[in-house]
Amino acid sequence: MMAPQAVHLGFDLHVLAEGPDVSAVKAVSSAPVGDYTDLETLRAFARGKDVVTFDHEHVPNEHLQTLIDEGVNVQPRPSALVHAQDKLVMRRAIEALGLPNPRWAAVASVAELVAFGDEAGWPVVLKTPRGGYDGKGVRIVEDHVAAQACADWFDAGRFDALLAEEKVDFSRELSAMVARTPGGEARAWPVVHTIQVDGVCDEVIAPAAELDPAVEEAAREAALTIAREFGVTGAMAAELFETPGHGAGFVINELAMRPHNTGHWSMDGCVTGQFEQHLRAVLDLPLGDTRPLGGRTVMKNYLGGANEDLYSMYQAALAAEPRAKIHAYGKSVRPGRKIGHINVVAEPGESVASVRERANRVAALIRDGQ
Ligand code: ADP
């Protein structure tokens, strides 16, 4: 999704592709296939490029550091990326900035988990510090008995410690996205409401409806502070839990340092979408305006479902909602796999419920074929 924006701006975008069939290969003219964990592959790929950036956070940091030492312009830096890769590092750093964390502890054993739960209250949320995504690597631990059943994670010995957090009693999940350049210019998009289903982002309402302006302001400021203090460059999402009436009105859940699912709405709903902004940011160019173009935008993901021939439904889906902007990822259909999203921008005076209805209708047609 960065590729069309690179074309608009006249940049040559090259992608180091994981395999010949990944979606990015269809979108760019130069997409060598290679292993992003192999230093020689990364070296060869980076040669002659103005800047190297990412659409995921899994390139080994030691390799990125080697590239930087050899003169490659890598954005964002591993020193920033580590906060999106390691949730314990993130918790400590957010605490040091005095920004809103849930109660948390690094726990190295079932006994320490139990001690944390007894102090902070049950249930507790237990997380692997690295390698989790879409809710994998997260367990809700109800009580002492359930804590004992987490022995497998401690025994596996993959991590020195796991992250234990209080189970936040949140009213909804929010996301505060920003972009920042190496020169220090930063801009925030409006804070959005993200609806998760089974730990996966399903729908985004942007800007979040009926959000306390003081909370919106504080959440934006927190994301901008994080970006500045951690030296983030490019796009960054701070995923938040809204906690009305408690503390700042939100706590920070986790960070992503790249264009993010909760920012897809900006592609059609904002003066500058996140993919264009990310490119401008990592190239240290002036950033674009982040204001919404019109009313609220609803972004609806569609996952692989009953319908395997997506295009067979385009006749019906496009006719059902002429305002829908479809973004298909060119991926094969597998149950539960994110294969595209739909943006619908509200007309003046249109209710959030109506826009959601429209976006969901189109997604259902494509996903289910009816
Ligand atoms: P991932 O890295 O897999 O996205 P998250 O840390 O975002 O994992 O957790 C996935 C989901 O689990 C969150 O979207 C939220 O719904 C729930 N969750 C995570 N941490 C907490 C917490 N401390 N309190 C309550 N719910 C939580």
Side-chain angles (χ1 to χ4, degrees), residues 87 127 133-135 138 165-168 173 253-254:
K87 291 177 182 176
K127 301 183 177 183
Y133 66 97
D134 285 349
V138 175
E165 294 176 352
E166 72 173 289
K167 184 162 184 292
V168 178
E173 298 194 45
N253 177 29
E254 65 171 344

Side-chain angles (χ1 to χ4, degrees), residues 83-134:
H83 300 93
Q85 294 164 332
D86 190 313
K87 291 177 182 176
L88 278 171
V89 171
M90 174 205 65
R91 283 276 168 255
R92 284 188 197 102
I94 287 176
E95 187 160 293
L97 291 178
L99 294 173
N101 260 339
R103 292 184 70 170
W104 69 280
V107 292
S109 64
V110 168
E112 288 184 15
L113 172 62
V114 167
F116 174 78
D118 285 346
E119 194 204 322
W122 299 92
V124 162
V125 182
L126 185 66
K127 301 183 177 183
T128 56
R130 286 174 174 264
Y133 66 97
D134 285 349

Side-chain angles (χ1 to χ4, degrees), residues 114-236:
V114 167
F116 174 78
D118 285 346
E119 194 204 322
W122 299 92
V124 162
V125 182
L126 185 66
K127 301 183 177 183
T128 56
R130 286 174 174 264
Y133 66 97
D134 285 349
K136 296 170 187 70
V138 175
R139 278 184 189 169
I140 311 288
V141 188
E142 294 292 341
D143 50 25
H144 284 209
V145 176
Q148 299 300 330
C150 292
D152 58 335
W153 272 11
F154 293 103
D155 294 346
R158 279 179 61 213
F159 305 101
D160 293 341
L162 303 177
L163 171 62
E165 294 176 352
E166 72 173 289
K167 184 162 184 292
V168 178
D169 185 17
F170 58 83
S171 50
R172 58 183 167 173
E173 298 194 45
L174 303 172
S175 172
M177 278 201 74
V178 299
R180 185 174 172 276
T181 68
E185 187 192 356
R187 284 184 187 249
W189 282 275
V191 175
V192 303
H193 171 191
T194 79
I195 299 168
Q196 317 281 123
V197 175
D198 298 331
V200 180
C201 175
D202 181 58
E203 205 178 332
V204 168
I205 300 166
E210 289 164 31
L211 179 60
D212 179 342
V215 173
E216 142 92 2
E217 169 82 18
R220 275 190 200 222
E221 280 306 317
L224 288 167
T225 301
I226 289 169
R228 184 180 67 242
E229 297 299 321
F230 296 178
V232 176
T233 53
M236 183 198 85

Side-chain angles (χ1 to χ4, degrees), residues 233-290:
T233 53
M236 183 198 85
E239 296 184 68
L240 314 172
F241 296 135
E242 185 186 33
T243 57
H246 295 278
F250 70 93
V251 295
I252 295 160
N253 177 29
E254 65 171 344
L255 305 176
M257 288 181 201
R258 53 183 159 77
H260 190 248
N261 200 166
T262 62
H264 284 350
W265 71 281
S266 63
M267 299 168 79
D268 300 300
C270 273
V271 178
T272 312
Q274 63 169 348
F275 294 98
E276 175 183 352
Q277 195 82 309
H278 183 78
L279 290 174
R280 290 162 74 141
V282 297
L283 282 157
D284 211 7
L285 291 167
L287 297 178
D289 193 324
T290 47

Side-chain angles (χ1 to χ4, degrees), residues 344-362:
V344 180
V345 182
E347 286 185 332
E350 188 177 1
S351 70
V352 173
S354 162
V355 197
R356 289 186 68 184
E357 217 305 292
R358 289 168 189 278
N360 276 274
R361 172 96 189 104
V362 178

